[in-house]
Amino acid sequence: MAVAQEGASGGERQRPDRGPRWFVGEQTPLSTLTAVTGGAALAVLVAGSIAVLTIHGWTPSEQLAEGITSDAQRAVLMATIALGVLAAGLGMRFRRMPTRPSREASISGAVLGLQAIALAGLYLWFRAGDVETFARNFFEFQLVGEYLPRFARAALNTLILALSGEALGIALGLVLGVFVLSDRRVVRAPARAYINFFRGTPLLWQLSFFFFGIALGLRLNLGPFEVAILVLALNAGAYSAEIFRAGIQSIERSQFEAARSLGLSHFRALRLVILPQAIRRVIPPLTNEFVILIKDTSLVAVLGLTLSQQELMATGRDIFSQTFNATPFLISAAGYLAVTLPMIRFVTWLERRLRSGLTGIGA
Amino acid sequence: MNPDGSLARLEDVHKWFGADLYVLRAIDLAVAPGEVLVVIGPSGSGKSTLLRTINMLEEPTEGRVLFDGVDLTDIRTDLDRARAEIGIVFQQFNLFPHMTALRNITMALEKVLGLDRGEARERALENLRQVGLEERAGSYPGRLSGGQQQRVAIARALAMRPKLMLFDEVTSALDPELVKEVLDVMQRLATEGMTMVIVTHEMAFAREVGSRLLFMDHGRIVEEGRPREVFADPQQERTRQFLAQVL
């Protein structure tokens, strides 16, 4: 690759600093005040609320409800709104700012202020309701410690369901994705019918039909957990088939021609040239698909799993029916997020990496 | 070789794309061993399709394609075997982006010719040396300039030790300053006696290197002859018009 030569002409200079230090140096007193006030509004809301609630105690729920409705919490919210209004008001003058950094800081300060006002407003609305009942139902945090081992087991089961479903589904989807692109209708049509069926019916129906219908009706000696993995795989297979199809179609036809003109057979050209490139390209959408599958495992709860087989959703429901308390659902949600959030970030990272083309993959 | 002594031969070849795009009309053409056949013509004249018909990347709608005594249009023919003996280089290089330059070359040597890894590597390095890129063997195509990629593509085709080389506008996608390095490689190949069919817009190259020139228009071979003679004194009015525009 050609590298740009150092210019021999005069007037050379260092690349100017455009970092945080420069940004702060470009501020005016007013822009600084706006940004600090906006940040302070949010900080007061978060830190103040945590302090008030901690002083009153997070458990049991009566203490928490008392903290939420206390005068101290009210004072925190009022202070937040006052600071927020001030920041928003000061930020309205962003057009008068002399430099771009000071203008940006003014706008950001105003936006932070408005966000603090919105959150504090929601909180005010919430504490005007029946806080005690709500806290008793959703915020009974002593239950957490008691049932944590069951939730750990449940999280593991969710992962087992999702991972084995996805692994089998990808294998199935790769084959179906290739079939559906066949020039021969007799190969293409059944694969297309399969994909359309599994994409066109609800997963809940599929789980019920396979468990209560096929597995019991045919006396296949399969428990709900095994049926669940099977159905998740069949379902994921249909979706990943479409992903693989799109991935294969995104590879330029000329790659196939180049491979064939070297004397490779149709199958080998596919296996050695097309699929390796297609698979690199479909990793982000397949990971997205996996995130969806993780959430879809919650539907397995309808099959009546045994205690040791229960995943996050079934566990939350089970404990709810024992304790008549909805807090376990919050723990289920936390369990799902603990797995899905890192995956979502992974996809974003991967997509950026693929786009930059620095890795030699997908170029 | 074919019975008539040619290496490749098209007999009354017609090609339609879809129902009404008639791109090759009654083409008869024989390529003799050692010949450097240059094909020129306006865009859309069918020259690329003609070239791609020789290794059956385009199947003729009618007519026969013979290569080295084998009828490629016969459905019983093993096309993969014939294609392994016909090298082709494309306008867009078409290197495999997920493989290094070296692996681009060794892959078919191992999978098609059945060479073991060591032999394949040795032969690939030798061919990379020929095109002056031995030190870039480990580079991925995305890290090579257009000219370098095209030279790797030529090395990939040559490593198969083909009997015939096809070049499909191989310099058209290159920046002007990179054209020469690719043409130099082709010129050397020609002097070494390789049989070549070259579709090109490089008129000076066509005149210097070609042993025979073909002018195509609207799917027909309008004129053929020795390149210098055709350039100096075209016999057909259509050829004269075309040359007046490009020279």
Side-chain angles (χ1 to χ4, degrees):
Chain A
M1 284 290 200
V3 176
Q5 295 291 309
E6 281 296 311
S9 56
E12 284 184 33
R13 52 175 75 177
Q14 292 281 309
R15 183 182 181 280
D17 174 27
R18 291 286 183 270
R21 189 191 297 265
W22 164 78
F23 191 88
V24 171
E26 293 286 306
Q27 299 301 328
T28 66
L30 185 60
S31 70
T32 310
L33 182 64
T34 312
V36 169
T37 315
L42 262 187
V44 165
L45 174 65
V46 174
S49 302
I50 289 176
V52 169
L53 297 179
T54 305
I55 289 166
H56 275 86
W58 292 85
T59 59
S61 61
E62 291 80 15
Q63 293 288 326
L64 185 61
E66 220 171 81
I68 291 171
T69 49
S70 68
D71 287 341
Q73 178 68 76
R74 205 178 108 87
V76 165
L77 294 175
M78 288 308 160
T80 300
I81 289 171
L83 284 169
V85 169
L86 181 61
L90 291 172
M92 290 303 153
R93 298 172 63 84
F94 71 92
R95 285 186 193 286
R96 305 259 182 93
M97 290 297 144
T99 61
R100 219 170 65 109
S102 57
R103 185 183 159 113
E104 286 306 314
S106 292
I107 293 173
S108 298
V111 171
L112 284 171
L114 290 173
Q115 288 168 346
I117 294 171
L119 288 173
L122 269 176
Y123 198 152
L124 279 174
W125 173 72
F126 169 70
R127 72 199 280 281
D130 185 355
V131 175
E132 204 172 318
T133 310
F134 189 91
R136 195 166 54 240
N137 271 320
F138 279 99
F139 295 153
E140 201 59 271
F141 293 124
Q142 311 93 301
L143 289 174
V144 176
E146 192 180 327
Y147 290 107
L148 216 51
R150 269 188 73 182
F151 274 106
R153 174 76 222 185
L156 184 65
N157 283 339
T158 293
L159 270 180
I160 292 172
L161 285 167
L163 281 174
S164 39
E166 183 71 16
L168 294 171
I170 282 177
L172 177 63
L174 185 56
V175 174
L176 284 171
V178 171
F179 278 8
V180 100
L181 287 172
S182 170
D183 287 334
R184 300 193 175 87
R185 183 168 292 176
V186 289
V187 177
R188 197 170 61 218
R192 176 46 66 196
Y194 175 94
I195 293 168
N196 288 351
F197 178 78
F198 276 93
R199 295 208 323 156
T201 52
L203 181 56
L204 187 57
W205 180 88
Q206 291 163 17
L207 284 164
S208 311
F209 182 73
F210 272 78
F211 183 59
F212 302 113
I214 292 181
L216 294 184
L218 297 183
R219 303 217 178 94
L220 302 176
N221 198 14
L222 291 176
F225 201 73
E226 289 79 33
V227 171
I229 288 178
L230 186 72
V231 174
L232 288 172
L234 294 176
N235 186 273
Y239 282 96
S240 31
E242 290 287 43
I243 293 173
F244 279 116
R245 177 193 57 73
I248 292 169
Q249 282 180 322
S250 79
I251 305 297
E252 300 69 22
R253 182 156 182 83
S254 56
Q255 286 286 309
F256 187 73
E257 288 180 347
R260 289 308 301 274
S261 63
L262 286 167
L264 291 167
S265 66
H266 179 98
F267 179 73
R268 278 173 150 182
L270 201 62
R271 185 167 62 85
L272 297 168
V273 174
I274 304 300
L275 285 181
Q277 296 183 61
I279 287 169
R280 283 171 175 83
R281 278 190 203 178
V282 299
I283 291 172
L286 276 182
T287 314
N288 269 329
E289 172 58 30
F290 181 55
V291 170
I292 294 171
L293 190 69
I294 290 171
K295 295 179 294 175
D296 282 350
T297 57
S298 61
L299 293 168
V300 171
V302 299
L303 297 189
L305 300 159
T306 65
L307 201 61
S308 65
Q309 292 173 335
Q310 283 177 350
E311 39 65 69
L312 284 166
M313 188 68 197
T315 304
R317 237 173 42 156
D318 202 45
I319 299 173
F320 173 71
S321 63
Q322 286 166 22
T323 61
F324 294 106
N325 190 290
T327 311
F329 285 123
L330 290 187
I331 309 173
S332 299
Y336 285 115
L337 285 172
V339 186
T340 52
L341 287 184
M343 304 291 299
I344 290 167
R345 296 210 51 158
F346 174 66
V347 173
T348 315
W349 175 79
L350 207 65
E351 280 175 341
R352 194 177 315 143
R353 208 171 113 105
L354 284 172
R355 234 195 335 268
S356 75
L358 288 177
T359 51
I361 64 180
Chain B
M1 221 180 284
N2 294 325
D4 65 344
S6 67
L7 181 59
R9 182 176 177 81
L10 306 189
E11 287 179 359
D12 194 28
V13 163
H14 298 254
K15 174 76 178 175
W16 280 265
F17 285 124
D20 44 30
L21 194 57
Y22 191 10
V23 287
L24 292 182
R25 309 175 186 220
I27 300 286
D28 278 299
L29 174 69
V31 184
E35 184 174 33
V36 178
L37 179 62
V38 182
V39 185
I40 61 171
S43 67
S45 60
K47 38 188 206 308
S48 278
T49 310
L50 171 80
L51 188 84
R52 290 156 57 86
T53 304
I54 298 175
N55 74 344
M56 294 288 282
L57 278 182
E58 303 292 353
E59 229 173 288
T61 317
E62 258 182 63
R64 294 208 305 163
V65 179
L66 303 164
F67 174 74
D68 203 21
V70 181
D71 182 357
L72 302 186
T73 40
D74 185 334
I75 57 166
R76 288 164 296 188
T77 302
D78 181 1
L79 273 185
D80 295 336
R81 230 168 95 187
R83 284 184 178 136
E85 298 183 335
I86 306 175
I88 182 164
V89 185
F90 301 92
Q91 182 176 351
Q92 297 294 341
F93 329 137
N94 298 356
L95 291 178
F96 308 131
H98 60 301
M99 299 178 187
T100 62
L102 185 73
R103 187 63 192 150
N104 260 279
I105 303 175
T106 57
M107 197 260 288
L109 297 182
E110 291 172 26
K111 306 287 177 180
V112 177
L113 299 187
L115 270 57
D116 71 39
R117 279 187 65 176
E119 290 171 330
R121 191 187 149 81
E122 213 161 289
R123 192 192 280 195
L125 286 173
E126 180 195 313
N127 277 288
L128 279 174
R129 196 177 313 131
Q130 277 178 17
V131 298
L133 285 173
E134 198 186 8
E135 76 283 5
R136 303 309 300 268
S139 301
Y140 283 90
R143 295 289 191 188
L144 300 175
S145 73
Q148 289 172 332
Q149 288 189 59
Q150 196 58 296
R151 280 144 70 199
V152 172
I154 294 174
R156 176 173 74 178
L158 287 176
M160 299 293 286
R161 308 260 162 93
K163 293 178 177 157
L164 172 65
M165 281 288 287
L166 309 174
F167 293 87
D168 190 2
E169 296 190 24
V170 294
T171 57
S172 298
L174 295 177
D175 289 337
E177 77 271 24
L178 304 178
V179 169
K180 190 172 178 299
E181 65 189 49
V182 172
L183 292 183
D184 285 348
V185 170
M186 291 165 67
Q187 179 149 27
R188 211 182 53 232
L189 264 182
T191 54
E192 285 167 3
M194 173 64 77
T195 312
M196 300 157 77
V197 181
I198 303 170
V199 170
T200 188
H201 292 299
E202 302 284 339
M203 295 302 154
F205 178 81
R207 183 163 48 195
E208 295 307 314
V209 178
S211 58
R212 186 153 64 107
L213 183 89
L214 228 60
F215 172 70
M216 285 188 71
D217 192 29
H218 287 109
R220 289 181 206 282
I221 298 171
V222 175
E223 182 161 358
E224 64 173 293
R226 301 178 62 81
R228 283 172 193 284
E229 289 163 14
V230 176
F231 277 108
D233 182 23
Q235 299 302 303
Q236 301 291 327
E237 180 54 29
R238 185 68 192 90
T239 319
R240 210 186 313 273
Q241 283 171 1
F242 176 75
L243 290 177
Q245 276 168 3
V246 297
L247 289 181

